[in-house]
Amino acid sequence: MKPAENLGSAEVRALLCGEADDWLFARADAVKRQYFGKEIWLRGIVEFSSYCRCDCHYCGLRAANRDIERYRLSHQEIIDSALKVDKAGIGTLVLQSGEDSRFRQDGISRILSTIKQQTQLAITLSLGERSHSELALWREAGADRYLLKLETLDAELYSRLRPGRVLDKRLRLLETLKSLGYETGSGIICGLPGSKSDALADALLALSAMELEMLAVGPFVSHPQTPLANTANGNVLECQRACAILRLLNPGANIPATSALDALQKGARLESLSRGCNVLMPSFTPQKDSSKYLIYPGKNASGCPLEQRLADIRLSLKARGLYCSADRGNARRQINV
Ligand code: SAH
Ligand code: SF4
């Protein structure tokens, strides 16, 4: 996809330092409007299991964290939650979880087939690193998209923060996903402790060269029950600049305004929708469990019933001259409006 602006490494670095915020945010908003108009894609996300075999240093769901109450939805609960997404007039369902070995090939396939039989929903999976055969089978069973964030493009930092894992394997998995015909998404955590000073600019350029359909940058939020407790949080403004730069480099890509933004600064998620982002992902995880999906403090913290949260989103978007679309919300290859 042709970038909206030809930004080299020096320009990206300067923009990340805030040298032209007014221009950057206005231009990112204009480019987003060229491709997506006033529409914001909603993705209903069902976080169906907080069990995880991994030990990522940044995440509250890491296996070594024995101080959280874990939950796992039943197949029927997952399907019921998916039907709620459909009924709410939302075009995409996201199924996300820790790397939970109890949900294997066949279980996920059955869930996908049932949802596909009963709805027209596009389905995104975000289940971490899985085998080629699982990914192939799920694609056949109806999964349309897969989100697998790289988290950092610094191979040494990656292995330090994700013990037992290597960046190369994650990169190869993204290629596998593309070859299986998934709309593929990735991204990074902005402000991960240990990141080098110019790493963000390099990562944005490298991610853009991968020609992905979805790109996500969320700020790091320090979790007290992890090895990164008491480290500094990511910077909201820097993260918004990163998303705006991604919009200029990948004009038709789907770029979510992540909930981590709101965990650090209330209102920052909505503000990002006028700074280049075009996707919001309200949680449809049943209320009895949603606050236990504690990847970072503040995640799913609203406590309001689903209907009220959706009504609030619609109102806030309207106030910004935007509206929620019921479309499946694929990435766009060319200017649309
Ligand atoms: N287990 C899957 C999906 C669930 S985790 C996976 O890891 O791919 C979803 C995302 O949460 C991760 O990709 C990571 O980017 C984000 N995340 C985890 N801990 C975080 C933290 N402390 N601050 C900000 N984002 C975090
Ligand atoms: Fe597990 Fe994903 Fe958290 Fe890592 S980021 S511990 S894989 S849920």
Side-chain angles (χ1 to χ4, degrees), residues 52 54 56 58-59 61-62 98-99 162:
C52 190
C54 298
C56 304
Y58 40 82
C59 177
L61 302 188
R62 63 199 305 265
E99 285 192 19
R162 306 200 71 229

Side-chain angles (χ1 to χ4, degrees), residues 7 14 23 32 61 71 81 92 125 186 205 231 233 259 299:
L7 301 177
W23 175 84
K32 187 204 76 169
L61 302 188
Y71 72 93
S81 306
T92 291
L125 296 179
S186 191
L205 289 163
T231 52
N233 289 326
S259 48
K299 175 86 179 159

Side-chain angles (χ1 to χ4, degrees), residues 129-155:
E129 293 180 21
R130 300 302 191 118
S131 68
H132 187 284
S133 63
E134 283 176 311
L135 297 172
L137 206 83
W138 296 339
R139 176 81 187 109
E140 267 174 44
D144 303 276
R145 309 184 183 126
Y146 205 100
L147 177 61
L148 186 71
K149 282 169 74 174
L150 291 166
E151 320 297 4
T152 169
L153 276 88
D154 174 336

Side-chain angles (χ1 to χ4, degrees), residues 49-63 70 96-100 126-129 151 161-162 165 170 189 293 295:
S49 170
S50 66
Y51 285 86
C52 190
R53 62 189 174 196
C54 298
D55 246 332
C56 304
H57 283 203
Y58 40 82
C59 177
L61 302 188
R62 63 199 305 265
R70 308 258 173 188
Q96 192 181 76
S97 68
E99 285 192 19
D100 181 354
S126 172
L127 315 183
E129 293 180 21
E151 320 297 4
L161 297 183
R162 306 200 71 229
R165 302 290 174 104
R170 197 97 160 169
I189 303 178
Y293 196 72
I295 289 181

Side-chain angles (χ1 to χ4, degrees), residues 21-333:
D21 277 351
D22 289 350
W23 175 84
L24 173 63
F25 293 140
R27 183 80 183 109
D29 191 40
V31 172
K32 187 204 76 169
R33 280 170 189 265
Q34 278 184 323
Y35 279 75
F36 299 98
K38 296 176 179 170
E39 290 174 293
I40 296 297
W41 309 140
L42 289 200
R43 318 292 202 199
I45 181 165
V46 178
E47 296 129 330
F48 64 85
S49 170
S50 66
Y51 285 86
C52 190
R53 62 189 174 196
C54 298
D55 246 332
C56 304
H57 283 203
Y58 40 82
C59 177
L61 302 188
R62 63 199 305 265
N65 184 4
R66 309 263 177 244
D67 293 332
I68 52 164
E69 196 187 336
R70 308 258 173 188
Y71 72 93
R72 191 179 269 131
L73 299 188
S74 68
H75 286 203
Q76 194 54 51
E77 284 175 313
I78 298 173
I79 291 161
D80 289 345
S81 306
L83 296 179
K84 279 196 182 157
V85 174
D86 190 44
K87 234 177 128 191
I90 292 177
T92 291
L93 165 72
V94 182
L95 293 176
Q96 192 181 76
S97 68
E99 285 192 19
D100 181 354
S101 323
R102 286 267 192 99
F103 282 96
R104 295 201 199 124
Q105 200 150 301
D106 297 341
I108 296 286
S109 289
R110 276 199 304 277
I111 292 166
L112 289 168
S113 313
T114 310
I115 297 169
K116 282 288 179 175
Q117 275 159 18
Q118 299 187 22
T119 72
Q120 303 282 314
L121 287 167
I123 305 182
T124 305
L125 296 179
S126 172
L127 315 183
E129 293 180 21
R130 300 302 191 118
S131 68
H132 187 284
S133 63
E134 283 176 311
L135 297 172
L137 206 83
W138 296 339
R139 176 81 187 109
E140 267 174 44
D144 303 276
R145 309 184 183 126
Y146 205 100
L147 177 61
L148 186 71
K149 282 169 74 174
L150 291 166
E151 320 297 4
T152 169
L153 276 88
D154 174 336
E156 190 275 322
L157 183 65
Y158 182 94
S159 290
R160 184 147 43 91
L161 297 183
R162 306 200 71 229
R165 302 290 174 104
V166 290
L167 181 62
D168 247 9
K169 179 171 180 215
R170 197 97 160 169
L171 286 164
R172 281 201 307 275
L173 268 175
L174 288 177
E175 289 308 316
T176 301
L177 289 165
K178 282 188 189 175
S179 70
L180 290 171
Y182 282 94
E183 268 201 38
T184 304
S186 191
I188 49 170
I189 303 178
C190 184
L192 259 185
S195 317
K196 300 198 180 89
S197 61
D198 281 338
L200 182 55
D202 294 342
L204 297 180
L205 289 163
L207 276 173
S208 302
M210 290 178 202
E211 306 215 346
L212 298 159
E213 276 97 5
M214 298 175 271
L215 291 154
V217 181
F220 167 69
V221 186
S222 171
H223 191 300
Q225 294 160 341
T226 65
L228 297 180
N230 304 317
T231 52
N233 289 326
N235 180 303
V236 167
L237 187 56
E238 183 181 53
C239 183
Q240 290 179 327
R241 287 177 189 139
C243 291
I245 291 166
L246 283 179
R247 172 62 62 209
L248 301 188
L249 294 172
N250 309 268
N254 282 319
I255 303 180
T258 62
S259 48
L261 287 163
D262 258 12
L264 293 182
Q265 187 182 304
K266 211 169 167 351
R269 190 164 67 133
L270 276 173
E271 185 179 47
S272 300
L273 297 173
S274 307
R275 295 183 163 187
C277 294
N278 70 316
V279 175
L280 265 189
M281 302 191 0
S283 174
F284 277 68
T285 305
Q287 201 149 1
K288 68 179 172 57
D289 291 315
S290 64
S291 59
K292 296 180 209 153
Y293 196 72
L294 241 154
I295 289 181
Y296 47 77
K299 175 86 179 159
N300 294 350
S302 143
C304 289
L306 175 63
E307 291 69 23
Q308 192 185 326
R309 282 188 286 120
L310 291 177
D312 287 349
I313 287 176
R314 288 180 207 283
L315 267 180
S316 315
L317 290 183
K318 201 169 167 206
R320 291 179 170 271
L322 300 168
Y323 66 91
C324 307
S325 169
D327 196 277
R328 290 161 63 96
N330 289 346
R332 295 207 158 139
R333 299 258 154 239

